[in-house]
Amino acid sequence: MIEVSNIRKEYRTDTVVTKALDGVSFGIKEGEFVAIMGPSGSGKSTLMHILGFLDKPTSGSYKFEGKSIDDWSDNQLARARNKRVGFVFQMFNLLPRTSVLDNVKLPLLYAGLKKENEDRLAKEAIAAVGLSDRIKHFPNQLSGGEQQRVAAARAIVNRPSIIFADEPTGNLDSKSGQQIMEILQEFNEQGHTIILVTHEKYVAETAKRIIHLKDGKVLSDEIVDHRRFAKDGLIK
């Protein structure tokens, strides 16, 4: 599904060059659950932004589903971002004066669907995260864990090929974090490819594979031997 080769990302300020990614290479197959792990400043969020079509590398090659995206226009990247991927961010990114239903429907606005089809897909996604009884609520009426579950529903509403989760438990208590990781594991069991960005080892171990970054380089790429299952209460 994903193949990156010698990806580099540099940021320039006057004469100062900062290397966020420095020659990153790996592949991810359809249906995998991969954690990208590393300390602050390791390049993991930069890498996720590139993989999720939110940014472009300075150099290197990126193939998505067998097609090189290196020469894609901003419009092509936007279409792929809307139709092929879903995002769950640490800060939830919900519209504050918009209901749960309408927040989840946002990725469908450019799909050209009839309103009744938008409503149906959104309600199915909301039910998948166990929030059907909150469908008319607004974000300020929800707990942090519930807001993140709304964000997870929004991530799957357009039935994407791949879901990116950037520190999805970072602003949550342990119980809510456990619920979110259980949802992500369930999504993976349903066939979604999941790429999780985290700096926490115990969260990364809910994945099936961990790519460890340090200073913009791949330090290790290993299968998880002792995987944690959120439903067993192993999220600290």
Side-chain angles (χ1 to χ4, degrees):
M1 173 172 279
I2 283 177
E3 184 180 351
V4 293
S5 179
N6 202 29
I7 289 289
R8 300 178 186 275
K9 181 66 178 181
E10 297 178 351
Y11 296 98
R12 295 177 179 269
T13 305
D14 296 328
T15 58
V16 178
V17 177
T18 302
K19 292 183 178 181
L21 296 173
D22 189 12
V24 171
S25 301
F26 59 82
I28 294 176
K29 296 179 181 179
E30 184 176 1
E32 283 200 84
F33 189 155
V34 179
I36 298 174
M37 184 183 172
S40 178
S42 61
K44 58 187 186 298
S45 290
T46 299
L47 179 59
M48 191 206 74
H49 289 163
I50 291 172
L51 298 179
F53 312 118
L54 293 166
D55 200 359
K56 291 182 177 180
T58 304
S59 63
S61 174
Y62 176 16
K63 290 184 179 180
F64 181 75
E65 295 181 336
K67 298 178 181 179
S68 174
I69 73 162
D70 299 338
D71 298 321
W72 282 11
S73 67
D74 289 341
N75 285 338
Q76 286 175 304
L77 291 172
R79 283 196 296 272
R81 192 163 58 239
N82 179 255
K83 294 180 180 296
R84 308 302 290 159
V85 303
F87 294 96
V88 182
F89 295 103
Q90 180 177 353
M91 299 303 296
F92 316 143
N93 291 350
L94 303 180
L95 297 181
R97 299 180 182 177
T98 303
S99 69
V100 167
L101 178 64
D102 287 337
N103 263 291
V104 174
K105 284 167 57 176
L106 284 173
L108 302 173
L109 293 180
Y110 303 101
L113 300 176
K114 294 181 179 180
K115 184 179 183 303
E116 55 266 29
N117 289 332
E118 289 182 355
D119 287 349
R120 176 180 57 81
L121 290 172
K123 288 176 181 178
E124 288 175 357
I126 292 166
V129 299
L131 286 178
S132 294
D133 60 337
R134 299 287 194 271
I135 201 164
K136 295 182 180 179
H137 284 57
F138 293 89
N140 65 357
Q141 297 173 309
L142 305 175
S143 68
E146 288 172 334
Q147 290 186 59
Q148 192 63 297
R149 284 154 67 187
V150 174
R154 183 182 57 195
I156 63 163
V157 71
N158 60 354
R159 299 178 178 176
S161 301
I162 188 166
I163 296 171
F164 293 93
D166 190 0
E167 301 281 7
T169 65
N171 284 332
L172 303 178
D173 58 47
S174 58
K175 181 179 179 181
S176 297
Q178 179 178 323
Q179 291 173 336
I180 290 301
M181 294 314 304
E182 184 174 351
I183 286 169
L184 291 176
Q185 287 181 329
E186 288 175 356
F187 286 171
N188 182 240
E189 293 302 314
Q190 293 165 8
H192 292 287
T193 304
I194 310 289
I195 297 181
L196 167 71
V197 170
T198 183
H199 67 280
E200 299 283 5
K201 186 173 185 289
Y202 62 85
V203 174
E205 287 174 349
T206 62
K208 298 175 181 177
R209 172 184 167 199
I210 300 175
I211 297 173
H212 197 142
L213 295 185
K214 185 177 181 181
D215 298 328
K217 298 177 182 288
V218 174
L219 194 64
S220 62
D221 184 349
E222 299 174 335
I223 301 298
V224 178
D225 290 328
H226 302 289
R227 190 185 184 200
R228 296 177 183 264
F229 290 92
K231 65 182 179 181
D232 297 329
L234 295 178
I235 304 301
K236 296 180 181 177

